[in-house]
Structures are given as C-alpha cells and as structure tokens.
Amino acid sequence: MSMTVGQVAKRSGINVSTLHFYEEKGLIVSSRDHANRRLYDRQILRRIAVIKAAQNIGLSLQEISEALSDLPKHRAPKQEEWERLARDWNKTLEERIQALKSLQSKLSSCINCGCLSLGTCELYNPEDTKGIYEPGARLVSTDSDNQP
C-alpha cells in the first residue's frame, strides 16, 4: 500500500519539505501516480526512522547517504543488512568517542594558558601544524589557514 507525502510526513513526524529534501539527496525514493503526486511505499517509514536516528547520534547526511546507498531503495532491508549498517555506525561512533576523550584530556592544559603565547596548543593547533607557517597557535584567521 502506498502513502502520500502528507501521510508519510504525519506518520514520521517530519515536514513535507524535509521529505522532499531527503528525496533530492537520494536518501529516500518515491514513485508518481497519474496526477504526478509523490507516493511512498510503507517501508519508507523505517528508512526515515533510521535517518533520524543517525542524525540524532551526530552522523552527517553525507555519511547517512553513503551508508544507505548499499541498502535496497525499493524494499525493506533484511535484518542482516540493518545489522551491518549498525556495526559500521557503531565503529564510527566509537572513533568519535575516542577523539572526544582525547580532547577532554587535553582540555585541562588549555585553562588559563592564553593560547596566543603557547608554542603549541593541543586543542587549536594539534602537533603545531600551523607552526609551519608562523610560530604558535593563532586564533586569528590568516591566509596560512587556507594552506595545506
């Protein structure tokens, strides 16, 4: 049974414009009826729920789109397909958690340091990469910020 864009919006709790945006980005697909109205398979609700859950855990639409590109667009994914997606996202989240923990441990060195006087800054200028172009961590944008 097909659903109209309004029905999908109501059931999923997202705006019609968001559905159109998702479709434009290739995250979801629709078909058209004889009056050229968008129609969605009911399975689209599950796909939208996955998109929203992924956004809630901090994944970008690009990351979500790449992950969903491996899943079928015109049928509900099988359990193994969802599980593979969950494993991949879990790995991504674990990497981000570790990066945040690393930043957290460096935060204490940042308190009262006056970053402009530091030779290196573990938060703003990790491994003194900006030191290639000028000394110390700089908080002011310069042309060297755009260099590799």
Side-chain angles (χ1 to χ4, degrees), residues 50-138:
V50 169
I51 293 167
K52 296 307 292 176
Q55 286 181 303
N56 286 341
I57 60 174
L59 297 176
S60 70
L61 284 179
Q62 179 64 35
E63 290 170 311
I64 298 166
S65 178
E66 288 171 8
L68 293 180
S69 69
D70 293 339
L71 297 178
K73 293 188 187 296
H74 297 290
R75 70 163 172 81
K78 297 175 183 172
Q79 183 173 347
E80 312 85 61
E81 293 168 322
W82 285 126
E83 288 172 354
R84 180 182 40 80
L85 180 68
R87 279 192 309 273
D88 291 347
W89 283 350
N90 189 49
K91 181 181 174 190
T92 299
L93 286 177
E94 190 57 41
E95 290 168 357
R96 289 183 183 176
I97 289 167
Q98 293 308 315
L100 286 171
K101 286 181 178 180
S102 175
L103 285 173
Q104 183 182 35
S105 69
K106 295 172 184 175
L107 184 61
S108 62
S109 68
C110 194
I111 307 293
N112 292 323
C113 74
C115 281
L116 293 175
S117 65
L118 281 180
T120 63
C121 176
E122 288 297 319
L123 293 176
Y124 181 73
N125 187 13
E127 300 174 18
D128 196 24
T129 55
K130 293 182 187 269
I132 295 168
Y133 305 105
E134 57 188 88
R138 300 287 183 217

Side-chain angles (χ1 to χ4, degrees), residues 5-52:
V5 69
Q7 291 169 324
V8 173
K10 185 176 180 178
R11 290 279 309 274
S12 65
I14 61 175
N15 296 325
V16 168
S17 61
T18 301
L19 290 172
H20 293 171
F21 179 75
Y22 285 172
E23 191 168 351
E24 179 184 314
K25 295 297 181 186
L27 295 165
I28 62 174
V29 295
S30 68
S31 59
R32 301 287 180 144
D33 68 5
H34 64 282
N36 203 31
R37 292 178 297 193
R38 284 181 170 92
L39 295 176
Y40 298 91
D41 291 333
R42 295 184 70 76
Q43 62 84 24
I44 203 71
L45 294 172
R46 188 167 191 192
R47 192 174 181 101
I48 291 168
V50 169
I51 293 167
K52 296 307 292 176

